[in-house]
Amino acid sequence: MGLFNRKGSKVSADGGSTASNSTLNSSAALRSPLNSKSPNTSFTSPSLPDVTLPRPPDPNLDPAAYLRSIYAVRERSKVVFEKAKRGQLEHFDVDMKKFEDTATYRDYAPDFRSIPPHGRWQHFEVGGRPRIDQLLASWHPVIDSQERTRRLIDLFLVSVLLDAGAGTQWSYKSKESGKIYRRSEGLAVASLEMFKTGLFSSDITEPCQVDGAGLKRLTVEQLARGLQASDANPVAGLEGRAGLLSRLADALNNQEFFGVDARPGNMLDYLLSHPSTLASSVPIISLPTLWAVLIDGLAPIWPASRTTISGTPLGDAWPCKAMPRSPPAQPWETIVPFHKLTQWLAYSLMTPMSKLMHIHFAGTELLTGLPEYRNGGLLIDTGLLTLKEEDMVRGLEAFKDNAKLKGQPSMEVVPLFATNDDVIVEWRAVTVGFLDELLGEVNRLLGLDKSDGLSLAQMLEAGTWKGGRELAEVSRPNTREPPIMILSDGTVF
């Protein structure tokens, strides 16, 4: 059976533990071993040194910094996941008898070691066409590896930010091949073709770049034309995507991260020159250093309506009823952070930096499985999670109301909730926990241990994300929607 085949299916896809106070306040720094394979690189060395990672921020001293850190995602989701294992969730019932079925839904054999890490690069290659390699080959040979990497960072960052759910009705016809693509792959091809025409660049002599001035002049109408969006071909959250890119233009004015010409790709220069970066046989960059660029440098792009702590916007972080109640708990303890798009950026941007510059990233194990509807949908469609009856009724009523609106789906009825609904927040938190557990189970079934097992990024790529999509296609073949529909503004999913 092929590497990416689902067991027993002929349908093809189209295109942790909670830290104690003593841990958080400990003077002992975390260390990341680098003498094993990296899950996010295509180049590895057997003799890389250990790297000391910074400690998590202390939530009692700076709760906003803690909730915006990568450490908090797994630690806070774990609180909800522990309740799931005890059958104490607010909105879902858990059937652990379905856990092994979920783990074995996809077949990773025979050549599982060649599975690439989850990232945007694969989406660009939909249909078996190596579009990024072709893009690189189209550039003049005098352009060095560093500038090539900057350009790919430019492209990948904008493409990821555009990669919120496109909806069931949208499709994109490639101007280069004439083929039609949908969903994430369609958005990837569309963003690549827009990039090549210079839509995101202010320099007419260099279309293949992204800069603040180019993004600032981008209008909703231009983005709609680039995505081929219309009343007959609607894309979900168009205005939200355009607003996100407009705010990105402002964020790129941070010269420390993005340079005087306000390009995302200039983060490469910042990372390579950072004091924590080691110059070994290959450059070694700490994952928390990359995370700081993304979470701090891109902070202005998130809507002002998001959750805040002491006036500090937290981004993709939400109150959850399954968390400790305040009072007596502190306000920060009621919030679960996910930072899904930031993590998707991290996974995606590491690939070109690794492939072209042979950069090794230390601490990639801090990243979590992505809490989104494909990974989470797999858990529901396999029966591991079941929405409770009261929430099911409420969600179905919301779907019926939404179906009355122009362009909204009205068949294959599923419960519908807004992004900030407690059902969605709990679902996402449980998804983070189960993805960690599934990784251990998958490696156990493959007879692999930690030193040679699949990475979480590989399992996401070949297993849960593709599995969630395939089960949606089988279960709801007309819309291919997940088992729970999310009202999205184009800035989270």
Side-chain angles (χ1 to χ4, degrees):
M1 186 172 289
L3 177 62
F4 296 115
N5 290 337
R6 181 176 65 83
K7 296 179 72 173
S9 172
K10 296 183 180 178
V11 178
S12 62
D14 61 354
S17 64
T18 305
S20 65
N21 288 335
S22 62
T23 300
L24 293 172
N25 297 319
S26 169
S27 60
L30 298 174
R31 300 186 70 79
S32 179
L34 295 184
N35 55 357
S36 60
K37 68 167 188 170
S38 167
N40 293 293
T41 68
S42 59
F43 177 91
T44 56
S45 168
S47 58
L48 297 176
D50 285 354
V51 170
T52 299
L53 301 178
R55 288 177 293 142
D58 186 337
N60 296 306
L61 298 177
D62 192 344
Y66 171 69
L67 290 172
R68 294 173 72 243
S69 76
I70 185 56
Y71 300 92
V73 179
R74 181 171 277 109
E75 291 172 357
R76 301 313 295 163
S77 293
K78 184 72 171 181
V79 176
V80 182
F81 183 59
E82 290 299 324
K83 285 193 169 184
K85 291 194 292 186
R86 298 193 298 268
Q88 296 175 349
L89 291 177
E90 299 280 333
H91 306 289
F92 292 91
D93 294 316
V94 180
D95 183 359
M96 290 303 295
K97 294 191 297 293
K98 301 296 179 63
F99 179 74
E100 186 170 334
D101 290 342
T102 305
T104 57
Y105 177 74
R106 286 186 64 85
D107 185 358
Y108 298 86
D111 191 16
F112 51 80
R113 298 186 191 281
S114 68
I115 297 171
H118 197 43
R120 195 62 166 154
W121 192 296
Q122 286 78 252
H123 289 170
F124 288 118
E125 297 190 333
V126 61
R129 185 174 179 180
R131 292 177 180 81
I132 299 302
D133 289 340
Q134 292 171 347
L135 178 67
L136 291 168
S138 72
W139 294 335
H140 197 284
V142 300
I143 299 173
D144 63 20
S145 294
Q146 198 154 330
E147 173 57 21
R148 288 169 179 266
T149 306
R150 290 190 196 100
R151 292 183 182 189
L152 291 190
I153 292 172
D154 285 352
L155 167 62
F156 279 45
L157 189 141
V158 166
S159 185
V160 166
L161 292 182
L162 287 173
D163 187 31
T168 60
Q169 301 180 62
W170 178 81
S171 64
Y172 180 81
K173 183 177 181 179
S174 171
K175 296 176 181 177
E176 297 178 357
S177 69
K179 293 185 177 180
I180 295 176
Y181 303 103
R182 295 175 173 81
R183 301 191 177 274
S184 287
E185 290 85 354
L187 290 167
V189 174
S191 62
L192 173 59
E193 295 187 356
M194 287 187 281
F195 174 79
K196 291 165 72 173
T197 65
L199 187 62
F200 310 120
S201 173
S202 66
D203 185 349
I204 60 173
T205 67
E206 187 42 72
C208 290
Q209 71 175 36
V210 175
D211 58 66
L215 292 174
K216 200 64 178 177
R217 70 186 187 191
L218 183 66
T219 65
V220 176
E221 291 73 24
Q222 287 175 313
L223 184 61
R225 285 196 297 271
L227 293 172
Q228 301 174 0
S230 64
D231 288 344
N233 187 38
V235 62
L238 176 65
E239 290 78 10
R241 293 170 213 264
L244 201 64
L245 294 184
S246 177
R247 294 189 294 273
L248 174 61
D250 296 329
L252 292 176
N253 288 325
N254 185 329
Q255 292 189 18
E256 179 185 13
F257 293 147
F258 306 118
V260 294
D261 48 351
R263 285 180 58 191
N266 288 333
M267 75 171 69
L268 174 66
D269 304 83
Y270 172 84
L271 294 169
L272 289 173
S273 63
H274 194 272
S276 67
T277 297
L278 298 182
S280 184
S281 56
V282 296
I284 302 172
I285 295 174
S286 163
L287 187 281
T289 303
L290 173 61
W291 185 261
V293 173
L294 299 178
I295 201 74
D296 295 332
L298 302 182
I301 75 175
W302 308 118
S305 58
R306 292 285 171 80
T307 308
T308 63
I309 285 283
S310 301
T312 301
L314 301 178
D316 183 13
W318 313 87
C320 181
K321 291 179 181 177
M323 298 297 283
R325 304 296 173 90
S326 176
Q330 295 298 313
W332 68 267
E333 294 181 274
T334 68
I335 296 170
V336 186
F338 300 115
H339 307 305
K340 180 261 178 179
L341 272 178
T342 306
Q343 293 204 71
W344 183 220
L345 273 172
Y347 278 120
S348 296
L349 296 182
M350 286 189 290
T351 304
M353 286 190 267
S354 300
K355 286 191 174 188
L356 275 65
M357 294 291 295
H358 301 317
I359 291 171
H360 185 99
F361 287 90
T364 55
E365 69 277 2
L366 296 175
L367 295 170
T368 73
L370 297 179
E372 47 81 62
Y373 56 78
R374 291 306 183 201
N375 291 320
L378 177 71
L379 308 182
I380 295 175
D381 278 334
T382 58
L384 185 57
L385 294 180
T386 301
L387 188 64
K388 292 185 176 180
E389 181 63 26
E390 182 179 343
D391 293 301
M392 178 65 78
V393 170
R394 180 168 65 91
L396 293 177
E397 285 300 318
F399 181 95
K400 292 176 183 177
D401 291 340
N402 187 70
K404 298 174 184 176
L405 302 176
K406 183 179 179 180
Q408 294 301 307
S410 58
M411 64 176 65
E412 294 179 335
V413 178
V414 295
L416 177 147
F417 303 94
T419 303
N420 63 346
D421 193 285
D422 201 62
V423 167
I424 302 303
V425 179
E426 184 178 87
W427 182 30
R428 298 179 74 196
V430 172
T431 296
V432 171
F434 266 121
L435 290 173
D436 280 343
E437 295 288 312
L438 286 168
L439 176 63
E441 180 67 6
V442 166
N443 279 325
R444 184 188 70 80
L445 293 169
L446 290 172
L448 304 173
D449 57 29
K450 265 192 172 181
S451 64
D452 65 351
L454 290 177
S455 69
L456 183 57
Q458 289 175 303
M459 185 191 75
L460 295 175
E461 175 62 23
T464 56
W465 189 86
K466 282 187 171 70
R469 170 184 276 189
E470 286 177 348
L471 262 179
E473 291 178 346
V474 171
S475 304
R476 293 164 295 279
N478 293 302
T479 64
R480 302 179 180 181
E481 284 282 8
I484 293 178
M485 185 175 165
I486 303 171
L487 278 178
S488 174
D489 63 0
T491 65
V492 176
F493 299 102

